[in-house]
Amino acid sequence: MQNLYNLASRQSEDVLDYCEAQNIGFIPWYPLAAGDLARAGSVLDKIAKAKGAAPSQVALAWVLQRSPVMLPIPGTGKVKHLEENTAAANIELSKEEFDTLSKAAR
């Protein structure tokens, strides 16, 4: 299944929940989008700085942590961004960080 889904745009929650229950892969379209959450001083920005990461990496880490059936494919045309996107898989958000980001985007 492929739908628009990211930290700031989660209107496909019900579809993702169904995919998870049925063990169906979910490919989030535009997984790096964070909207206003990426602005300087935001919750996302503060968590990213605390982890020594870019806000886009933390947004992608949130998507990856959201569900085990998640298979994000962030597009990029630059090796630097490819490396950043790949490194996001190594960022572990605490339950508190995950929940804070989840609430901030609603």
XYZ file of all heavy atoms in Angstrom:
805
model
N 0.847 -1.154 0.000
C 0.000 0.000 0.000
C 0.896 1.221 0.000
O 1.891 1.252 0.717
C -0.877 -0.022 1.258
C -1.759 1.170 1.440
S -2.931 1.477 0.125
C -3.917 0.014 0.173
N 0.543 2.217 -0.774
C 1.302 3.462 -0.794
C 0.342 4.632 -0.655
O -0.564 4.797 -1.477
C 2.113 3.598 -2.089
C 2.945 4.865 -2.112
C 3.815 4.972 -3.348
O 3.674 4.213 -4.300
N 4.714 5.927 -3.345
N 0.515 5.405 0.402
C -0.314 6.583 0.661
C 0.552 7.714 1.184
O 1.629 7.468 1.736
C -1.385 6.276 1.720
C -2.575 5.551 1.174
O -2.597 5.121 0.033
N -3.576 5.375 2.003
N 0.036 8.928 1.068
C 0.687 10.081 1.684
C 0.690 9.866 3.187
O -0.354 9.610 3.791
C -0.072 11.366 1.339
C 0.426 12.635 2.020
C 1.848 12.952 1.592
C -0.499 13.796 1.700
N 1.870 9.926 3.781
C 1.973 9.733 5.228
C 3.318 10.249 5.695
O 4.366 9.908 5.132
C 1.835 8.252 5.600
C 1.702 8.046 7.088
C 0.466 8.134 7.715
C 2.824 7.790 7.872
C 0.344 7.963 9.080
C 2.711 7.618 9.243
C 1.470 7.710 9.835
O 1.339 7.552 11.185
N 3.297 11.066 6.720
C 4.511 11.578 7.339
C 4.137 12.157 8.697
O 2.964 12.119 9.089
C 5.204 12.608 6.430
C 4.277 13.716 5.988
O 3.690 14.412 6.806
N 4.123 13.873 4.673
N 5.085 12.706 9.382
C 4.855 13.242 10.713
C 3.757 14.305 10.716
O 2.926 14.344 11.615
C 6.164 13.822 11.267
C 6.135 14.426 12.660
C 5.687 13.398 13.695
C 7.510 14.959 13.019
N 3.721 15.132 9.695
C 2.761 16.242 9.652
C 1.457 15.912 8.937
O 0.481 16.640 9.067
C 3.417 17.452 8.982
N 1.412 14.837 8.193
C 0.223 14.496 7.402
C -0.127 13.022 7.619
O 0.464 12.140 7.018
C 0.501 14.761 5.917
O -0.615 14.432 5.143
N -1.115 12.788 8.491
C -1.412 11.414 8.884
C -2.868 11.021 8.655
O -3.442 10.251 9.407
C -1.055 11.213 10.346
C 0.434 11.296 10.551
C 0.810 10.987 11.949
N 0.898 12.241 12.679
C 0.874 12.334 13.989
N 0.731 11.268 14.736
N 0.985 13.493 14.569
N -3.449 11.500 7.585
C -4.845 11.148 7.300
C -5.009 9.684 6.901
O -6.120 9.188 6.839
C -5.475 12.077 6.255
C -4.818 12.072 4.915
C -3.751 13.141 4.753
O -3.123 13.555 5.709
N -3.525 13.580 3.543
N -3.925 8.969 6.700
C -4.001 7.549 6.332
C -3.743 6.630 7.522
O -3.398 5.454 7.340
C -2.994 7.237 5.220
O -3.334 7.914 4.043
N -3.910 7.127 8.746
C -3.696 6.308 9.943
C -4.503 5.014 9.901
O -3.997 3.950 10.242
C -4.072 7.081 11.216
C -3.068 8.127 11.637
C -1.862 7.569 12.353
O -1.959 6.544 13.046
O -0.797 8.178 12.214
N -5.774 5.119 9.499
C -6.628 3.926 9.477
C -6.114 2.888 8.472
O -6.149 1.690 8.729
C -8.087 4.283 9.207
C -8.294 5.050 7.909
O -7.342 5.678 7.399
O -9.423 5.036 7.401
N -5.610 3.353 7.340
C -5.061 2.437 6.333
C -3.785 1.787 6.870
O -3.592 0.577 6.732
C -4.786 3.176 5.003
C -4.108 2.251 4.001
C -6.064 3.763 4.434
N -2.937 2.583 7.510
C -1.711 2.050 8.098
C -2.040 1.026 9.178
O -1.427 -0.049 9.228
C -0.851 3.177 8.671
C 0.415 2.754 9.411
C 1.309 1.867 8.562
C 1.154 3.980 9.904
N -3.005 1.320 10.028
C -3.408 0.372 11.071
C -3.896 -0.942 10.461
O -3.575 -2.031 10.946
C -4.495 0.975 11.967
C -3.966 2.098 12.846
O -2.740 2.195 13.050
O -4.804 2.894 13.321
N -4.669 -0.852 9.379
C -5.150 -2.057 8.699
C -3.968 -2.849 8.124
O -3.901 -4.074 8.282
C -6.138 -1.695 7.585
C -6.644 -2.903 6.845
C -7.716 -3.642 7.331
C -6.025 -3.331 5.668
C -8.171 -4.775 6.668
C -6.474 -4.456 4.996
C -7.546 -5.175 5.491
O -7.976 -6.293 4.830
N -3.064 -2.139 7.468
C -1.890 -2.813 6.899
C -1.086 -3.512 7.988
O -0.632 -4.649 7.801
C -1.011 -1.806 6.162
S -1.696 -1.237 4.594
N -0.943 -2.857 9.117
C -0.191 -3.458 10.215
C -0.899 -4.715 10.728
O -0.262 -5.744 10.949
C -0.026 -2.440 11.337
C 0.938 -2.883 12.401
C 1.285 -1.779 13.380
O 1.213 -0.589 13.033
O 1.633 -2.144 14.518
N -2.204 -4.641 10.889
C -2.974 -5.790 11.379
C -2.917 -6.967 10.412
O -2.946 -8.130 10.825
C -4.428 -5.384 11.624
N -2.817 -6.675 9.117
C -2.792 -7.717 8.093
C -1.372 -8.055 7.623
O -1.203 -8.835 6.688
C -3.640 -7.282 6.883
C -5.091 -6.999 7.216
C -5.797 -8.215 7.771
O -5.643 -9.324 7.264
N -6.570 -8.018 8.826
N -0.371 -7.414 8.232
C 1.027 -7.607 7.860
C 1.271 -7.280 6.383
O 1.949 -8.019 5.669
C 1.510 -9.016 8.203
C 3.015 -9.071 8.330
O 3.650 -8.086 8.705
N 3.590 -10.207 8.003
N 0.729 -6.161 5.960
C 0.889 -5.656 4.593
C 1.861 -4.476 4.642
O 1.712 -3.581 5.476
C -0.470 -5.184 4.015
C -1.446 -6.351 3.936
C -0.285 -4.522 2.653
C -2.874 -5.932 3.622
N 2.829 -4.467 3.759
C 3.770 -3.361 3.713
C 3.086 -2.038 3.389
O 2.155 -1.986 2.595
N 3.549 -0.978 4.033
C 2.998 0.362 3.826
C 4.141 1.269 3.399
O 5.135 1.418 4.119
C 2.360 0.885 5.111
C 1.653 2.198 4.956
C 0.302 2.242 4.666
C 2.334 3.397 5.108
C -0.362 3.458 4.530
C 1.692 4.611 4.967
C 0.334 4.641 4.684
N 4.028 1.845 2.208
C 5.050 2.746 1.681
C 4.520 4.165 1.817
O 3.602 4.569 1.095
C 5.370 2.426 0.208
C 5.852 0.989 0.087
C 6.405 3.405 -0.336
C 5.972 0.494 -1.340
N 5.064 4.933 2.773
C 4.592 6.307 2.939
C 5.127 7.199 1.833
O 6.335 7.249 1.586
C 5.140 6.712 4.299
C 6.370 5.890 4.457
C 6.098 4.594 3.742
N 4.222 7.879 1.168
C 4.596 8.828 0.130
C 4.958 10.137 0.820
O 4.273 10.587 1.735
C 3.405 8.996 -0.821
C 3.599 10.013 -1.887
C 4.371 9.892 -2.996
C 2.995 11.300 -1.947
N 4.295 11.027 -3.750
C 3.447 11.916 -3.117
C 2.121 11.994 -1.118
C 3.061 13.193 -3.484
C 1.732 13.260 -1.483
C 2.202 13.846 -2.658
N 6.054 10.739 0.459
C 6.551 11.999 1.019
C 6.864 11.854 2.510
O 6.392 12.627 3.346
C 5.541 13.106 0.758
C 6.077 14.521 0.768
C 7.348 14.815 0.327
C 5.290 15.563 1.224
C 7.824 16.119 0.329
C 5.748 16.867 1.237
C 7.020 17.136 0.794
O 7.494 18.426 0.809
N 7.668 10.851 2.880
C 7.885 10.533 4.291
C 8.686 11.564 5.081
O 8.651 11.557 6.301
C 8.630 9.205 4.244
C 9.362 9.249 2.946
C 8.421 9.959 1.999
N 9.406 12.462 4.415
C 10.240 13.419 5.131
C 9.520 14.712 5.493
O 10.064 15.523 6.230
C 11.490 13.763 4.307
C 12.476 12.627 4.105
C 13.619 13.076 3.214
C 12.998 12.108 5.420
N 8.336 14.927 4.985
C 7.642 16.192 5.246
C 7.389 16.369 6.736
O 6.951 15.456 7.414
C 6.328 16.241 4.484
N 7.667 17.558 7.231
C 7.429 17.851 8.640
C 6.705 19.174 8.813
O 6.389 19.565 9.919
C 8.742 17.859 9.400
N 6.452 19.882 7.719
C 5.701 21.131 7.790
C 6.311 22.118 8.768
O 7.528 22.234 8.880
N 5.451 22.805 9.505
C 5.906 23.809 10.471
C 6.707 23.200 11.614
O 7.408 23.915 12.329
C 4.710 24.572 11.049
C 4.088 25.521 10.030
O 4.769 25.879 9.039
O 2.922 25.910 10.227
N 6.596 21.889 11.791
C 7.349 21.245 12.862
C 8.855 21.332 12.645
O 9.625 21.141 13.577
C 6.951 19.773 12.985
C 5.549 19.511 13.499
C 5.243 18.024 13.429
C 5.400 20.002 14.917
N 9.288 21.606 11.429
C 10.721 21.663 11.126
C 11.319 23.051 11.368
O 12.526 23.223 11.247
C 10.969 21.236 9.682
N 10.492 24.028 11.733
C 11.015 25.381 11.926
C 11.947 25.436 13.139
O 11.846 24.618 14.060
C 9.883 26.390 12.048
C 9.146 26.364 13.337
C 7.961 27.334 13.376
N 7.355 27.407 14.666
C 6.691 26.448 15.274
N 6.543 25.285 14.698
N 6.176 26.625 16.471
N 12.811 26.411 13.148
C 13.757 26.578 14.249
C 13.008 26.769 15.562
O 12.026 27.508 15.632
C 14.662 27.773 13.970
N 13.459 26.084 16.592
C 12.847 26.194 17.914
C 11.660 25.284 18.150
O 11.134 25.223 19.255
N 11.230 24.544 17.138
C 10.091 23.637 17.280
C 10.498 22.408 18.092
O 11.685 22.172 18.347
C 9.591 23.193 15.905
O 10.556 22.343 15.301
N 9.510 21.624 18.481
C 9.778 20.373 19.204
C 10.675 19.468 18.366
O 11.641 18.893 18.877
C 8.444 19.666 19.544
C 8.693 18.274 20.088
C 7.636 20.487 20.520
N 10.369 19.340 17.091
C 11.183 18.503 16.200
C 12.614 19.015 16.151
O 13.568 18.240 16.252
C 10.573 18.476 14.798
C 11.353 17.734 13.720
C 11.530 16.263 14.066
C 10.650 17.868 12.382
N 12.775 20.314 16.029
C 14.105 20.923 15.984
C 14.871 20.653 17.280
O 16.047 20.300 17.248
C 13.970 22.427 15.731
C 15.308 23.116 15.590
O 16.116 22.691 14.744
O 15.546 24.106 16.329
N 14.202 20.777 18.415
C 14.861 20.552 19.711
C 15.294 19.092 19.875
O 16.400 18.818 20.342
C 13.930 20.966 20.851
C 13.753 22.469 20.942
C 12.750 22.847 22.017
C 12.527 24.344 22.010
N 11.480 24.767 22.951
N 14.428 18.171 19.487
C 14.790 16.750 19.583
C 15.945 16.440 18.630
O 16.876 15.719 18.991
C 13.563 15.855 19.313
C 12.561 15.988 20.469
C 13.981 14.397 19.119
C 11.237 15.293 20.230
N 15.888 16.988 17.428
C 16.967 16.764 16.462
C 18.303 17.271 17.000
O 19.316 16.567 16.922
C 16.632 17.446 15.134
N 18.300 18.469 17.559
C 19.549 19.020 18.107
C 20.065 18.159 19.256
O 21.270 17.920 19.364
C 19.329 20.459 18.563
C 19.266 21.423 17.395
C 19.075 22.857 17.834
C 19.043 23.751 16.595
N 18.600 25.091 16.897
N 19.169 17.692 20.107
C 19.580 16.846 21.233
C 20.203 15.540 20.756
O 21.055 14.976 21.437
C 18.385 16.565 22.143
N 19.788 15.072 19.601
C 20.304 13.813 19.058
C 21.450 14.032 18.075
O 21.990 13.081 17.527
C 19.180 13.046 18.376
C 18.112 12.616 19.385
C 17.307 11.471 18.861
C 16.433 10.882 19.935
N 17.152 10.112 20.949
N 21.789 15.296 17.812
C 22.849 15.592 16.854
C 22.453 15.210 15.441
O 23.275 14.743 14.659
N 21.176 15.408 15.129
C 20.637 15.004 13.827
C 19.907 16.179 13.172
O 19.620 17.182 13.812
C 19.665 13.841 14.015
N 19.591 16.010 11.915
C 18.789 16.992 11.190
C 17.312 16.720 11.485
O 16.923 15.570 11.720
C 19.042 16.875 9.689
N 16.474 17.760 11.463
C 15.037 17.542 11.668
C 14.453 16.512 10.702
O 13.616 15.703 11.096
C 14.430 18.930 11.451
C 15.515 19.870 11.854
C 16.786 19.191 11.373
N 14.915 16.505 9.452
C 14.399 15.528 8.491
C 14.743 14.098 8.915
O 13.956 13.183 8.710
C 14.940 15.802 7.087
O 16.353 15.716 7.062
N 15.904 13.912 9.528
C 16.283 12.581 10.003
C 15.371 12.126 11.141
O 14.963 10.966 11.182
C 17.730 12.576 10.490
C 18.746 12.678 9.379
C 20.141 12.746 9.926
O 20.474 13.671 10.675
N 20.961 11.768 9.581
N 15.053 13.030 12.038
C 14.179 12.677 13.164
C 12.763 12.415 12.655
O 12.092 11.486 13.114
C 14.211 13.761 14.255
C 13.186 13.473 15.343
C 15.613 13.856 14.860
N 12.310 13.208 11.686
C 10.986 12.962 11.095
C 10.937 11.588 10.440
O 9.949 10.860 10.581
C 10.648 14.059 10.084
N 11.992 11.213 9.761
C 12.053 9.887 9.134
C 12.172 8.792 10.193
O 11.542 7.736 10.071
C 13.221 9.822 8.149
C 13.334 8.569 7.295
C 12.049 8.290 6.526
C 14.500 8.702 6.322
N 12.924 9.041 11.247
C 13.022 8.076 12.343
C 11.652 7.852 12.982
O 11.296 6.716 13.326
C 14.027 8.562 13.389
N 10.860 8.914 13.100
C 9.506 8.790 13.649
C 8.658 7.887 12.746
O 7.956 7.004 13.235
C 8.860 10.170 13.807
C 7.487 10.096 14.381
C 7.142 10.149 15.695
C 6.266 9.908 13.654
N 5.780 10.013 15.830
C 5.223 9.862 14.590
C 5.953 9.785 12.311
C 3.890 9.685 14.230
C 4.626 9.609 11.942
C 3.605 9.566 12.897
N 8.731 8.107 11.441
C 7.975 7.282 10.487
C 8.385 5.812 10.627
O 7.537 4.928 10.679
C 8.184 7.780 9.032
C 7.700 6.760 8.017
C 7.489 9.116 8.817
N 9.679 5.566 10.708
C 10.171 4.191 10.830
C 9.715 3.538 12.137
O 9.403 2.353 12.165
C 11.697 4.169 10.744
C 12.277 4.426 9.362
C 13.764 4.724 9.463
C 12.017 3.243 8.448
N 9.666 4.313 13.189
C 9.271 3.771 14.485
C 7.757 3.597 14.604
O 7.286 2.810 15.412
C 9.777 4.694 15.599
C 9.704 4.086 16.973
C 10.493 4.886 17.979
O 11.569 5.399 17.681
N 9.973 4.998 19.183
N 7.006 4.281 13.774
C 5.544 4.244 13.861
C 4.966 2.849 13.655
O 4.010 2.458 14.298
C 4.945 5.232 12.850
C 3.471 5.166 12.586
C 2.635 5.347 13.844
N 1.225 5.202 13.549
C 0.555 4.057 13.490
N 1.166 2.919 13.700
N -0.733 4.050 13.220
N 5.565 2.069 12.741
C 5.011 0.750 12.453
C 6.069 -0.174 11.855
O 6.888 0.264 11.041
C 3.851 0.884 11.461
O 3.405 -0.376 11.037
N 6.020 -1.450 12.215
C 6.973 -2.401 11.637
C 6.719 -2.699 10.155
O 7.578 -3.281 9.494
C 6.787 -3.658 12.489
C 5.423 -3.556 13.060
C 5.147 -2.082 13.216
N 5.561 -2.319 9.625
C 5.286 -2.571 8.202
C 5.664 -1.374 7.329
O 5.469 -1.394 6.120
C 3.811 -2.978 7.950
C 3.476 -4.267 8.684
C 2.842 -1.861 8.305
N 6.227 -0.345 7.939
C 6.582 0.890 7.235
C 7.812 0.677 6.359
O 8.820 0.123 6.796
C 6.865 1.974 8.269
C 6.852 3.364 7.713
S 5.214 3.960 7.275
C 4.529 4.355 8.863
N 7.720 1.103 5.122
C 8.839 1.017 4.188
C 8.967 2.342 3.443
O 8.548 2.469 2.300
C 8.632 -0.141 3.194
C 9.705 -0.318 2.140
C 11.044 -0.646 2.779
C 9.304 -1.397 1.162
N 9.527 3.354 4.110
C 9.656 4.655 3.457
C 10.742 4.639 2.378
O 11.759 3.965 2.532
C 10.037 5.593 4.595
C 10.688 4.723 5.596
C 10.036 3.369 5.465
N 10.474 5.343 1.324
C 11.449 5.478 0.250
C 11.605 6.975 -0.045
O 10.977 7.503 -0.960
C 11.016 4.718 -1.020
C 10.749 3.258 -0.686
C 12.092 4.838 -2.098
C 10.190 2.455 -1.839
N 12.403 7.658 0.773
C 12.580 9.087 0.540
C 13.428 9.312 -0.713
O 14.491 8.717 -0.862
C 13.288 9.581 1.800
C 13.926 8.371 2.382
C 13.117 7.187 1.938
N 12.933 10.125 -1.588
C 13.666 10.414 -2.815
C 14.758 11.437 -2.576
O 14.651 12.290 -1.709
N 15.815 11.327 -3.330
C 16.893 12.306 -3.240
C 17.726 12.257 -4.509
O 17.768 11.237 -5.193
C 17.796 12.051 -2.013
O 18.763 13.093 -1.935
C 18.510 10.729 -2.105
N 18.353 13.355 -4.795
C 19.242 13.419 -5.940
C 20.679 13.682 -5.523
O 21.557 13.863 -6.357
N 20.921 13.710 -4.193
C 22.249 14.029 -3.686
C 22.727 12.928 -2.742
O 21.969 12.433 -1.907
C 22.229 15.361 -2.936
C 21.851 16.522 -3.827
C 21.880 17.815 -3.084
C 21.502 18.939 -4.058
N 21.529 20.228 -3.438
N 23.991 12.575 -2.867
C 24.577 11.543 -2.026
C 24.495 11.944 -0.552
O 24.192 11.122 0.306
C 26.037 11.245 -2.435
C 26.719 10.319 -1.441
C 26.083 10.649 -3.826
N 24.724 13.226 -0.250
C 24.662 13.702 1.137
C 23.285 13.404 1.740
O 23.185 12.935 2.872
C 24.952 15.195 1.205
C 24.870 15.749 2.609
C 25.062 17.248 2.644
C 24.866 17.735 4.072
N 24.635 19.135 4.168
N 22.227 13.669 0.997
C 20.880 13.401 1.506
C 20.617 11.904 1.629
O 19.944 11.465 2.568
C 19.828 14.057 0.616
C 19.863 15.540 0.686
N 19.412 16.323 -0.333
C 20.289 16.390 1.657
C 19.575 17.589 -0.005
N 20.107 17.655 1.196
N 21.152 11.123 0.723
C 21.027 9.673 0.810
C 21.670 9.166 2.107
O 21.095 8.353 2.822
C 21.673 8.998 -0.403
C 21.761 7.477 -0.368
C 20.370 6.852 -0.355
C 22.560 6.971 -1.557
N 22.843 9.685 2.409
C 23.537 9.295 3.640
C 22.746 9.728 4.878
O 22.633 8.967 5.843
C 24.949 9.884 3.660
C 25.848 9.275 2.605
C 27.169 10.000 2.411
O 27.325 11.145 2.900
O 28.050 9.412 1.763
N 22.193 10.945 4.849
C 21.370 11.422 5.972
C 20.136 10.545 6.150
O 19.784 10.174 7.270
C 20.933 12.870 5.749
C 22.017 13.883 5.964
C 21.545 15.307 5.700
O 20.368 15.512 5.302
O 22.353 16.229 5.885
N 19.474 10.238 5.039
C 18.262 9.414 5.114
C 18.571 8.027 5.669
O 17.829 7.499 6.488
C 17.609 9.290 3.737
C 17.058 10.602 3.231
O 16.863 11.549 3.978
N 16.827 10.679 1.937
N 19.656 7.446 5.227
C 20.052 6.122 5.697
C 20.392 6.152 7.183
O 20.010 5.250 7.935
C 21.254 5.600 4.881
O 20.900 5.585 3.496
C 21.661 4.208 5.310
N 21.066 7.203 7.615
C 21.451 7.327 9.033
C 20.227 7.477 9.935
O 20.296 7.152 11.122
C 22.392 8.508 9.213
N 19.114 7.935 9.404
C 17.892 8.085 10.203
C 17.426 6.752 10.774
O 16.797 6.711 11.835
C 16.781 8.716 9.359
N 17.757 5.668 10.116
C 17.362 4.342 10.603
C 18.062 3.992 11.920
O 17.596 3.119 12.654
C 17.670 3.281 9.551
N 19.147 4.675 12.230
C 19.888 4.413 13.467
C 19.457 5.315 14.621
O 19.973 5.177 15.732
C 21.387 4.568 13.229
C 21.905 3.547 12.242
O 21.494 2.395 12.268
N 22.782 3.967 11.356
N 18.548 6.231 14.360
C 18.081 7.131 15.415
C 16.942 6.456 16.167
O 15.938 6.074 15.576
C 17.602 8.478 14.824
C 18.782 9.205 14.173
C 16.947 9.335 15.908
C 18.380 10.451 13.414
N 17.134 6.301 17.451
C 16.096 5.701 18.290
C 15.437 6.794 19.118
O 16.111 7.485 19.884
C 16.698 4.626 19.193
C 17.168 3.415 18.420
C 17.643 2.303 19.326
O 17.088 2.149 20.421
O 18.576 1.616 18.916
N 14.157 6.934 18.959
C 13.398 7.895 19.748
C 12.883 7.203 21.003
O 12.398 6.072 20.937
C 12.212 8.420 18.940
C 12.548 9.141 17.637
C 11.273 9.426 16.850
C 13.307 10.427 17.910
N 13.000 7.889 22.124
C 12.410 7.342 23.342
C 10.892 7.386 23.186
O 10.364 8.081 22.312
C 12.832 8.178 24.554
O 12.233 9.464 24.488
N 10.194 6.672 24.035
C 8.728 6.704 24.002
C 8.236 8.133 24.197
O 7.330 8.584 23.516
C 8.136 5.778 25.064
C 6.615 5.796 25.055
C 6.024 4.806 26.012
C 4.535 4.799 26.106
N 3.745 5.696 25.344
N 8.877 8.846 25.107
C 8.488 10.239 25.360
C 8.706 11.111 24.122
O 7.848 11.918 23.765
C 9.271 10.789 26.542
C 8.911 12.225 26.879
C 9.728 12.792 28.032
O 10.552 12.071 28.631
O 9.535 13.982 28.326
N 9.845 10.962 23.464
C 10.119 11.737 22.245
C 9.122 11.382 21.149
O 8.585 12.269 20.473
C 11.549 11.487 21.759
C 12.605 12.069 22.660
C 13.999 11.560 22.351
O 14.149 10.415 21.848
O 14.955 12.308 22.618
N 8.877 10.089 20.963
C 7.937 9.641 19.949
C 6.550 10.230 20.220
O 5.896 10.778 19.331
C 7.872 8.110 19.907
C 6.943 7.576 18.863
C 7.365 7.396 17.560
C 5.621 7.263 19.187
C 6.503 6.918 16.581
C 4.752 6.784 18.222
C 5.183 6.606 16.907
N 6.082 10.117 21.456
C 4.764 10.629 21.820
C 4.688 12.144 21.694
O 3.679 12.691 21.233
C 4.395 10.209 23.245
C 4.151 8.709 23.371
O 3.976 8.028 22.326
O 4.148 8.219 24.516
N 5.749 12.849 22.078
C 5.777 14.309 21.968
C 5.651 14.736 20.512
O 4.885 15.644 20.187
C 7.070 14.872 22.582
O 7.100 14.551 23.975
C 7.175 16.370 22.405
N 6.390 14.073 19.626
C 6.308 14.388 18.196
C 4.930 14.051 17.656
O 4.344 14.813 16.863
C 7.383 13.643 17.415
C 8.807 14.137 17.624
C 9.809 13.162 17.020
C 8.983 15.533 17.036
N 4.388 12.934 18.066
C 3.056 12.520 17.600
C 1.989 13.553 17.979
O 1.143 13.902 17.164
C 2.678 11.166 18.202
O 3.568 10.169 17.769
N 2.061 14.029 19.195
C 1.088 15.028 19.675
C 1.297 16.390 19.033
O 0.334 17.095 18.739
C 1.149 15.137 21.189
C 0.622 13.903 21.890
C 0.825 14.010 23.395
C 0.466 12.679 24.058
N 0.845 12.656 25.461
N 2.542 16.769 18.828
C 2.846 18.084 18.260
C 2.312 18.232 16.843
O 1.956 19.331 16.418
C 4.360 18.332 18.279
N 2.236 17.156 16.132
C 1.800 17.193 14.727
C 0.292 17.157 14.575
O -0.226 17.342 13.492
C 2.431 16.049 13.958
N -0.429 16.916 15.625
C -1.904 16.829 15.530
C -2.543 18.179 15.613
O -2.187 19.096 16.137
C -2.446 15.914 16.614
C -1.994 14.499 16.352
C -2.926 13.507 16.977
N -2.406 12.187 16.743
C -2.930 11.342 15.863
N -3.954 11.653 15.151
N -2.407 10.157 15.708
